[in-house]
Amino acid sequence: MASIPVAYSALSQPHLAQFVREQYGFSAQTRCSLLKSGIAHTYLITDGTQQAVLRVYFYQWRSKEAIREELRLINLLKEEGLAVSYALPDLKGQCIQEIEAPEGLRY
């Protein structure tokens, strides 16, 4: 039988924890666990008493520009005082990360 390409992969939780440590400066105690799989994978990031959520969009589900606009709207709502979940910038001030997955680039 021929090899069938991957459409959507579940990313390694320990490797995502390491990615978060490197990109965001979280501690060595940072852990990652899959919360939900739907139109994107949602991971819970824990670092001692801190918690954050990491969303990894499915391959080709949203363009980087579409995600940028989504974040712009969320930030506008946050600035207006609405209780919304917002993106945390990484150590370089970026809110969108690129992850190479078996099926291709994911954000």
Side-chain angles (χ1 to χ4, degrees), residues 5-65:
V6 172
Y8 303 108
S9 60
L11 302 176
S12 164
Q13 295 167 41
H15 287 86
L16 280 176
Q18 180 63 35
F19 179 81
V20 168
R21 286 191 285 272
E22 293 169 0
Q23 296 296 316
Y24 292 89
F26 281 44
S27 78
Q29 282 70 45
T30 301
R31 300 290 178 259
C32 174
S33 57
L34 181 64
L35 280 178
K36 180 181 169 205
S37 180
I39 56 175
H41 285 132
T42 304
Y43 297 89
L44 177 64
I45 306 298
T46 56
D47 183 8
T49 59
Q50 291 187 51
Q51 291 186 334
V53 171
L54 175 67
R55 176 186 286 177
V56 181
Y57 290 96
F58 283 157
Y59 173 66
Q60 293 185 332
W61 187 72
R62 290 271 164 102
S63 68
K64 193 171 189 178
E65 183 60 32

Side-chain angles (χ1 to χ4, degrees), residues 23 25 28 35 43 46 73 78 80-81 85 88-89 96 102 106:
Q23 296 296 316
L35 280 178
Y43 297 89
T46 56
L73 174 61
K78 179 182 171 220
E80 292 298 319
S85 297
L88 299 175
I96 302 173
R106 293 174 64 179

